[in-house]
Each structure stands twice: as C-alpha cells, then as structure tokens.
C-alpha cells in the first residue's frame, strides 16, 4: 500500500526539475526541502501532502495523550502535575513543574526512598516519544546503573510534565541523581524524540545550567539503547563529581 | 485623567495608565499568564473606551518603566521630537486613531508626527484598531532604507533568504541559498541563523555569502545572525558583511538577558559603518517578537504589545535597514493559536511602521501551538496587503535548524503575484536575466540551480 512518508525528503526531487543531477548531489548535504518543483507559484501535490503529513505528525505528538495502557505495559505508575489538560500544559509552563500534595503522597507511598538514581518519564511535548523509546531506555539504564553498583529508584510516569518537576521530586525522594526522560518539542523530521535532563541533587532554587542534557534521542537521532549507555556513563561521572551541568 | 467608565450601567475602574493599556490589549496567552489581561471581553472594551479618551500627554508622562529606572525609556524620551510632540500632546488617542485613518492624512504627515509619539502611545493607538484598520493604516505608510539596495520602494515585497542548516554545513547552506535565489528569494538579504554562535562559523558564512554575492553579482545584502559581540570579534579579523544583526528587547533588563546594552549597539553600528561592506547608511538588522520581556521577567507588569513597541522605540534610534518580528516563535504560552498569531503579526508590523521602521515579519509557528500552515498563509496574505517590507524565504517553510515553520520560497513568489508587487528593482532585473522571473511571475528557469552553480 502507498505510504508517502516512506521516502526520505533527501531523496525527494521533482521529476521535471532541470537541475536534477546537481540537486541529487547537493541534497546529500542537507535535509532542506529543495528541488521539490512547482505548480505555478505553489507546491506540487505530492510535496504539499508530504509537508502536511510531517507537520500533522509533529502536531499530533504534542496534543495526543499517552494512553494508560502504555504506562501499564511499561510497568510504571502515573502521577500528574498541576495541569489538568494539554491546553494547560502548553499555556502554563509554570504549572507543569508543580506536583501537588496528593500526588506527592502517591510518590512517597510507592517509591523506594534515598536512591542513588531516580529515573522518571514525562510526556513533555511529545507523547509518541514514550512508546517509542521508554522500554529500551529503562532496561539499559537500570541494568547499566545497577551493574555499576548504583541503586535505582522506582520509575514512574508524570503526565503534563515539564523538566523542572525534578526540583520537587528530587528532594521528595531524597535522590542523589535525578534523570528526567521527557518528550521534546517535535520537528518536521521526527515526532518521537526524547531528551534526558540529569541533575545532581536538584532543588527548588537550582539553575537551568545545572542540568546535563542529552537530546535528540530517537531512532532518527541517537538510538535509545545507545543513548541509555551514554547516560549511564554520564550519571557515573555526575555521581563521582557530585555536580552536574556546565560545572561538570 | 479619567481611569473609569461605565458599560451597560456597570462601572469599570482602572488603577493606572499601564493597567488600561494592558487590559485594552487583544487577548494573548502571555498577558493572561502574567495576570495582566482583561478578565472579560467587556472589561477589555471598557479599557479601550478609557484609553480612547486619554491624551498623548497622559501616556507620555506615564511610561511603562520610569525614566530613572530604565535606559530604553530614557532613549525613547530623549529621542522624542519636541516640536512634533507639542502639536499633538492634547489629542486623545481616539482622535489620533481617526487622524491616522483619514484619507487626507498622508504617509509623510504621519511619519513626521510619529516622531513625537512614545512607543506607549503607538501601542495605545493600535489597541483601538481592528485587524482591517491595522492593514488599512499600515498600507499607506511609505518607509525606505538603504544598505546596498533600497528596501521599501512602492510596490515591492522583499525577502530574506534564510538557508539555515543544523550543523552550518557550508555545502548545505549553499544548496538552499541557490535554490532560494532561483525562486526569487533573497533581495532583502541572505541571512543565516548559525547553529553554533562562534567567531569561526560567523566568518565562514560571511565569506561564503560575500563570495556568492560577488561572483553572481547579486544586488543584495549579507548577514549572519550571531550575537553582536561575536560579529564584532569576527569583524576584527578582517572578515566582513553588509549588515550587523542583533535581537533586541523593550527594557534595559530584558536587553541584559540578551547580553546587550545600548552602548554596545552604538559601538557595533559605528564599527559596521566603518568596516562593513554596506554602501548606504542603514546597516543594522534587528529582530524582535512579543513577550521576550515577559520570558525574562523584565516586563515591569506591562502587556506584550506595549513591550514590543518599546523594542521599536529602541530600534528607531539606530535607523536600521530592517526590523523583523519573529511573531510565532515564542510558543503558545505567549501567543496561543492562529487567531492570536494573526493579530500579533498585524499589530507588530503596523506598530513598527508607525515608528518609521522598515518592518518585516517572520510569519511562523512552532509545532506545540494549535496553529498550522493555513494560519501562516492567511497572515502572510494580510501582511502583503499591509505593506510589510519583507518575509522569510525558507525551503518549503520548514526550517531544519530552528525546528519551526516559516514561509517558503514559493510563498514569496505567490505573494508578489497576488498583490502585483515586485522584488527590489535591481534584484528583479537580476532574476529576469537568468529567466528565474518573467512578467512578474516565476520564469521558465525558476528552480534551475545549474545556472548559478556553473558560475561559482
């Protein structure tokens, strides 16, 4: 069956383009949508539809919810930030970092205290990033960290999550290192990228520059298994240095 | 000065000029998040009614940030044309609006008078305008500026060619640049946002742009949008460009968050006038966008339209070649959806024009806004009517480095065809020589980069 999204944009050249040969060569250096032809001053039908497919995937990634089944299948439980909807999630970044008392209570009841490393997932701005990457990431991170003798806390999922939930969750569970795995703002190349924000003893007054960040984790960027192995190394380094971010 | 009114028998009382301005603003998610927006549609109208009776003098005497506290306020006040101000200081904002819209009021009259208007006054009048008012009033303003070529001639729509690349790969940048040129983009400038803000990458892209411009004899301008301090360092090595770029904000504190101050911009302007390659006197290129002040907590409880206007107040001190509002880049917490985006784009371009600035607009959105390309296309068509000086030309609107969607090369050609407007004249001739453009439309060679590659 036809799927217009299968062909990479870099191989996409309009048939009637006079500079087809040159475009084949120069398009190796860029993923920009060049050489796509024209109908009058507008786009060809195929290029027009491909743009909308890519942009719609990116938009859907932001506005769809991670399903409860996805969370259960990953062996996680769920808490929420102060936001009650995707609308609040995108318009109130200040609420997306707040974990209210009842949700804090759930964490206190269900999580192991004082871990060396606390890992949790957040939907952030891409729901598909969870189903695409979380299983591989969690497995490799847990095995890798425990192999190095570090204790790993009880993992969970935060709905309507921003990175700065770490400022509350870190002290609440008394974790030495917190690693937030969160969906990135999607682009037109991929809608399922995840970032890791890692902080040594995060706290409410910490600076943004105290996070060590690994971004572009997806099958189109840094593969999740590869990224997880890299994050294990980073966490080891952070644990030893007792600091994270630009001062590391 | 009266800060209260009644609507349908109900009283509305406001605390200050600043609060009237905020509550009179059209709905924006950023003003809501900041706790500054009107609480109901009717309260918004009440604020507009109060605002319409305030005088130019009332608003001049109550700037968003006090003169003593803020260098941007001091610059705006000190630059004010006292003769122009004295003629209109007793006008109400409602009267000012009607005078601007009157068919007997010319572009020349408005631009002379607006030298006596503070940025808060310009913000005020835009809050009494509907979307069509903003287009109607803006369309009659004729504002020119000259670098190598002159932007703002009657009947032109220009374009910044924006060939960004996620790793600043030179061959990738060249590929997008040539494709854009062959579609008629690039008469305002060739301007790249570097992925890494370093002296080396700035020099590398400056050099390639200068080489393309010279070898292909393109009548245009070159620029790399790194930090002004990076460009100053690059200039010291002997490398050069036509335009000096910087993002600016509407308060001293918000400028500091961008790592700049007024003295630094003055120094950069002097350096580019001396060591840059521009033939004309307008060598600065500024970018703005509503709510950068709020995002750095430097908005002094003022609404985002007013803060944006103060960016233009700062910009006009430097007689820039271009000012560009990157209207949809900040995110949905500031400009929520297509409706707010369209309003903000119209406000910014009109308000910039009323400051006497050659205004462009990066008509754009991010993927976490409930907006899409259709919203962008509507705003671009409106702004083409409103006399917007230039738009961005990005390969099919997809910026692969900044990860947002702007306007495409095809959109620029379409806007020109729809409005009967043309590129900057020298650039149009250049396009016609290659067959990229013919009779005001794309020509038979549009998209044929072979014709350019063979000369490089």
């Amino acid at each position: 069956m036809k799927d217009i999204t299968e062909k990479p944009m870099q191989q996409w050249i309009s048939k009637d383009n006079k500079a087809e040969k040159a475009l084949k060569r120069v398009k190796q250096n860029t993923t920009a949508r060049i050489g796509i032809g024209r109908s009058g001053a507008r786009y060809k039908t195929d290029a027009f539809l491909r743009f909308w497919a890519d942009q719609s995937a990116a938009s859907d990634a932001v506005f769809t919810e991670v399903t409860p089944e996805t969370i259960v299948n990953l062996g996680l439980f769920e808490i929420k930030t102060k936001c009650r909807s995707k609308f609040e999630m995108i318009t109130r970044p200040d609420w997306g970092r707040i974990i209210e008392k009842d949700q804090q209570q759930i964490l206190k009841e269900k999580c192991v205290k004082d871990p060396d490393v606390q890992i949790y997932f957040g939907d952030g701005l891409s729901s598909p990033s969870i189903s695409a990457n979380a299983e591989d990431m969690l497995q490799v991170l847990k095995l890798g960290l425990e192999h190095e003798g570090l204790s790993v806390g009880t993992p969970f999922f935060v709905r309507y999550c921003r990175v700065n939930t770490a400022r509350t969750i870190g002290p609440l569970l008394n974790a030495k290192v917190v690693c937030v795995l969160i969906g990135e703002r999607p682009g037109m190349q991929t809608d399922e990228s995840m970032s890791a924000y890692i902080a040594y003893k995060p706290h409410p007054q910490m600076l943004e520059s105290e996070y060590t960040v690994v971004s572009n984790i997806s099958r189109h960027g840094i593969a999740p298994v590869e990224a997880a192995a890299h994050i294990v190394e980073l966490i080891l380094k952070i644990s030893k240095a007792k600091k994270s971010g630009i001062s590391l | 000065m009266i800060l209260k009114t009644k609507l349908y028998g109900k009283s509305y009382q406001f605390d200050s000029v600043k609060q009237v301005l905020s509550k009179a603003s059209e709905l924006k998610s950023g003003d809501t998040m900041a706790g500054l927006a009107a609480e109901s549609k009717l309260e918004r109208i009440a604020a507009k009614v109060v605002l319409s009776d305030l005088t130019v003098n009332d608003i001049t005497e109550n700037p968003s940030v006090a003169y003593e506290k803020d260098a941007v306020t001091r610059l705006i006040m000190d630059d004010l044309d006292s003769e122009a101000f004295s003629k209109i200081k007793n006008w109400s904002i409602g009267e000012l609006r009607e005078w601007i819209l009157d068919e007997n009021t010319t572009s020349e009259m408005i631009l002379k008078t607006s030298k006596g208007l503070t940025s808060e006054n310009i913000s005020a009048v835009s809050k009494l305008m509907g979307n069509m008012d903003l287009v109607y009033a803006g369309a009659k303003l004729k504002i020119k500026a000259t670098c190598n070529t002159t932007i703002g001639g009657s009947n032109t729509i220009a374009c910044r060619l924006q060939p960004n690349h996620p790793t600043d790969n030179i061959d990738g940048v060249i590929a997008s640049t040539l494709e854009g040129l062959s579609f008629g983009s690039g008469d305002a400038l060739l301007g790249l946002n570097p992925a890494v803000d370093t002296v080396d990458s700035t020099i590398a892209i400056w050099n390639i742009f200068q080489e393309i411009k010279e070898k292909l004899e393109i009548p245009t301008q070159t620029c790399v949008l790194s930090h002004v301090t990076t460009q100053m360092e690059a200039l010291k090595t002997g490398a050069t460009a036509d335009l000096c770029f910087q993002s600016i904000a509407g308060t001293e504190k918000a400028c500091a968050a961008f790592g700049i101050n007024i003295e630094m911009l003055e120094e950069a302007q002097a350096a580019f006038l001396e060591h840059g390659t521009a033939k004309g006197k307008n060598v600065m290129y500024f970018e703005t966008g509503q709510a950068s002040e709020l995002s750095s907590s430097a908005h002094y409880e003022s609404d985002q339209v007013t803060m944006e206007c103060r960016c233009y107040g700062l910009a006009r001190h430097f007689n820039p070649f271009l000012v560009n509002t990157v209207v949809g880049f900040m995110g949905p917490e500031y400009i929520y959806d297509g409706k707010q985006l369209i309003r903000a784009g119209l406000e910014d371009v009109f308000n910039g024009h009323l400051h006497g600035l050659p205004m462009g607009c990066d008509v754009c959105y991010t993927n976490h806004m409930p907006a899409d390309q259709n919203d962008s296309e509507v705003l671009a068509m409106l702004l083409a009517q409103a006399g917007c000086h230039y738009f961005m030309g990005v390969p099919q609107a997809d910026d692969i480095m900044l990860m947002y969607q702007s306007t495409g090369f095809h959109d620029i050609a379409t806007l020109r065809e729809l409005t009967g407007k043309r590129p900057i004249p020298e650039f149009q001739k250049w396009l016609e020589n290659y067959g990229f453009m013919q009779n005001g439309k794309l020509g038979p060679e549009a998209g044929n980069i072979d014709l350019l590659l063979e000369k490089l």
Side-chain angles (χ1 to χ4, degrees):
Chain A
M1 220 179 340
K2 176 167 149 177
D3 181 348
I4 60 163
T5 64
E6 272 175 354
K7 190 174 174 182
M9 273 314 295
Q10 268 181 288
Q11 290 167 23
W12 194 297
I13 296 171
S14 165
K15 285 184 201 85
D16 53 5
N17 202 303
K18 286 184 179 174
E20 197 184 342
K21 242 183 167 174
L23 278 161
K24 265 192 187 149
R25 186 164 48 80
V26 300
K27 274 178 77 97
Q28 287 172 9
N29 302 312
T30 181
T31 53
R33 292 169 197 249
I34 57 175
I36 55 172
R38 65 185 181 92
S39 303
R42 303 308 296 158
Y43 302 116
K44 295 273 194 198
T45 306
D46 60 359
F48 170 80
L49 292 173
R50 176 60 188 269
F51 175 94
W52 276 90
D54 291 345
Q55 202 278 320
S56 300
S59 180
D60 284 349
V62 177
F63 293 99
T64 52
E65 296 280 356
V66 175
T67 62
E69 296 80 63
T70 306
I71 306 307
V72 171
N73 291 342
L74 286 165
L76 305 174
F77 69 92
E78 169 178 341
I79 62 159
K80 276 191 185 69
T81 63
K82 187 179 161 76
C83 300
R84 287 160 302 182
S85 64
K86 285 284 173 189
F87 171 78
E88 288 185 351
M89 160 77 198
I90 61 164
T91 52
R92 297 305 302 252
D94 49 340
W95 290 357
R97 62 159 75 174
I98 297 173
I99 311 284
E100 296 197 296
K101 288 284 177 236
D102 61 325
Q103 302 293 305
Q104 291 192 16
Q105 196 53 41
I106 298 174
L107 286 183
K108 277 191 206 160
E109 281 163 16
K110 295 200 172 182
C111 290
V112 175
K113 297 277 158 31
D114 316 321
D116 291 328
V117 184
Q118 178 65 51
I119 297 166
Y120 66 91
F121 294 89
D123 48 4
L125 295 174
S126 168
S127 292
S129 72
I130 300 296
S131 42
N133 308 306
E135 193 178 350
D136 285 349
M137 296 284 294
L138 189 57
Q139 206 174 6
V140 177
L141 282 172
K142 210 159 180 293
L143 278 173
L145 291 167
E146 284 173 353
H147 180 75
E148 297 290 344
L150 295 175
S151 66
V152 179
T154 318
F156 52 90
F157 170 75
V158 181
R159 196 174 290 278
Y160 310 133
C161 182
R162 298 270 176 179
V163 172
N164 280 319
T165 44
R167 295 170 187 234
T168 312
I169 290 173
L172 187 78
L173 299 174
N174 195 31
K176 288 204 184 78
V177 177
V178 171
C179 174
V180 192
L181 296 162
I182 191 165
E184 284 179 5
R185 192 182 92 194
M188 299 271 283
Q189 312 282 332
T190 171
D191 61 349
E192 53 183 46
S193 284
M194 177 176 264
S195 291
Y197 284 78
I198 311 159
Y200 184 77
K201 291 197 173 167
H203 56 92
Q205 279 77 43
M206 70 181 281
L207 303 171
E208 294 295 313
S209 57
E210 288 177 57
Y211 287 110
T212 296
V213 186
V214 178
S215 56
N216 196 23
I217 303 167
S218 86
R219 63 197 164 104
H220 303 287
I222 313 171
V225 172
E226 199 185 316
H230 176 52
I231 292 167
V232 169
E233 283 170 32
L234 282 174
I235 291 177
L236 274 176
K237 205 171 150 193
I238 287 166
S239 301
K240 279 183 195 145
K242 298 190 188 318
K243 59 186 178 183
S244 55
I246 48 167
S247 60
L248 187 64
Chain B
M1 196 166 69
I2 297 164
L3 297 179
K4 60 184 174 184
T5 192
K6 273 187 184 178
L7 286 176
Y8 300 105
K10 190 182 168 188
S11 300
Y12 295 87
Q13 165 86 49
F14 304 98
D15 301 335
S16 61
V17 170
K18 191 192 283 196
Q19 195 189 43
V20 173
L21 278 168
S22 295
K23 297 225 171 191
S25 218
E26 291 298 307
L27 182 63
K28 303 278 164 53
S29 49
D31 290 333
T32 304
M33 180 166 68
L36 301 170
E39 277 162 32
S40 66
K41 286 190 174 187
L42 210 48
E43 192 194 18
R44 178 168 298 118
I45 303 306
K48 286 181 199 280
V49 171
V50 169
L51 184 60
S52 74
D53 289 331
L54 293 180
T55 65
V56 169
N57 193 49
D58 291 336
I59 291 176
T60 308
E61 286 186 348
N62 292 280
S64 304
V65 196
Y67 186 91
E68 301 73 30
K69 267 193 193 164
D70 183 83
V72 175
T73 302
R74 289 194 289 276
L75 187 82
I76 292 169
M77 297 297 265
D78 295 350
D79 278 355
L80 217 55
D81 181 330
S82 54
E83 199 182 322
F85 172 72
S86 66
K87 282 185 188 156
I88 51 169
K89 67 177 184 180
N90 294 322
W91 291 12
S92 71
I93 303 302
E95 287 168 338
L96 177 62
R97 172 186 173 279
E98 290 178 357
W99 178 80
I100 290 170
L101 293 170
D102 193 298
E103 67 270 25
N104 296 313
T105 310
T106 63
S107 171
E108 205 186 353
M109 289 156 72
I110 296 171
L111 294 172
K112 200 173 164 196
T113 299
S114 74
K115 289 188 170 70
L117 291 173
T118 61
S119 300
E120 284 84 348
N121 272 292
I122 289 173
S123 170
V125 77
S126 73
K127 289 167 200 275
L128 299 185
M129 288 192 172
N131 285 358
M132 203 182 280
D133 296 343
L134 293 170
V135 174
Y136 181 74
K140 70 172 156 182
L141 299 177
K142 308 289 174 224
I143 298 147
K144 288 187 183 182
T146 303
C147 184
N148 294 325
T149 56
T150 297
I151 200 160
S154 59
N155 222 31
T156 64
I157 287 179
C159 170
R160 165 186 164 196
L161 206 168
Q162 182 173 311
N164 294 349
H165 188 284
T167 60
D168 295 339
N169 176 297
I170 294 286
D171 292 322
V173 170
I174 294 173
S176 292
T177 304
L178 299 187
E179 167 101 348
L181 288 166
S182 78
F183 273 94
S185 285
D187 48 343
L189 75 153
L190 311 179
L192 177 120
N193 300 84
V196 284
D197 194 306
T198 64
V199 173
D200 286 347
S201 65
T202 299
I203 294 172
I205 307 291
W206 271 1
N207 287 344
I208 198 67
F209 279 167
Q210 293 288 73
E211 191 186 327
I212 291 173
K213 186 183 74 170
E214 281 157 22
K215 281 196 179 159
L216 299 177
E217 300 176 75
I218 311 169
T220 188
Q221 288 64 226
T222 60
C223 185
V224 172
L225 287 75
S226 48
H227 195 267
V228 65
T229 51
T230 310
Q231 294 165 76
M232 293 287 275
E233 284 303 308
L235 211 53
K236 282 180 195 158
T237 69
T240 188
D242 295 316
L243 289 167
C244 173
F245 167 82
Q246 183 54 44
S247 287
I248 57 170
T251 63
E252 186 181 350
K253 197 175 158 195
C255 282
F258 281 149
I260 58 158
N261 57 46
I262 292 167
E263 294 70 38
M264 204 183 271
L265 294 176
E266 282 172 340
E267 215 177 291
Q269 185 182 30
F272 271 79
L273 279 168
E274 192 180 343
H275 304 293
T277 38
K279 291 182 191 130
K281 290 210 164 123
N282 307 113
V283 296
M284 301 303 281
Y285 170 24
F286 295 123
E287 282 192 352
T288 67
Q290 285 187 25
S292 56
E293 298 81 9
L294 174 60
S295 76
S296 57
S297 301
H299 62 296
Y300 294 85
E301 303 299 310
S302 267
D303 67 89
Q304 56 192 53
V305 173
T306 302
M307 278 291 142
E308 176 72 6
C309 275
R310 289 166 53 95
C311 298
Y312 306 145
L314 171 58
R316 74 175 163 185
H317 181 73
F318 295 92
N319 302 309
F321 180 65
L322 304 165
V323 179
N324 176 28
T325 169
V326 189
V327 68
F329 193 68
M330 290 292 287
E333 63 267 45
Y334 304 106
I335 289 176
Y336 179 61
D337 60 1
K339 182 181 165 78
Q340 294 188 10
L341 178 77
I342 288 166
R343 177 69 194 179
L346 295 176
E347 286 165 345
D348 291 355
V349 170
F350 171 75
N351 287 334
H353 279 157
L354 193 49
H355 278 84
L357 297 168
M359 283 301 294
C361 183
D362 187 347
V363 176
C364 60
Y365 60 98
T366 57
N367 288 316
H368 65 315
M369 279 170 78
D372 59 30
Q373 204 63 27
N374 283 336
D375 298 302
S376 265
E377 289 172 8
V378 168
L379 177 55
M381 287 188 286
L382 292 173
L383 286 174
Q385 291 287 331
C388 185
H389 282 66
Y390 71 106
F391 297 88
M392 307 308 116
V394 178
Q396 206 182 4
D398 169 19
D399 191 305
I400 56 175
M401 195 280 281
L402 293 170
M403 304 262 276
Y404 76 125
Q405 288 76 245
S406 179
T407 42
F409 301 142
H410 295 63
D411 297 327
I412 307 304
T414 306
L415 293 173
R416 287 171 179 154
E417 278 193 40
L418 283 175
T419 55
K421 294 187 181 182
R422 298 285 185 268
I424 292 174
E426 301 94 308
F427 190 82
Q428 183 181 341
K429 267 188 208 126
W430 183 87
L431 292 173
E432 286 166 350
N433 284 342
Y434 279 96
F436 296 148
M437 196 172 180
Q438 209 173 58
N439 306 318
K441 298 183 178 183
L442 288 177
E445 301 299 339
N448 186 357
I449 60 168
D450 271 342
L451 300 178
L452 301 174
L453 268 173
E454 65 193 23
K455 292 195 179 177
L456 274 183

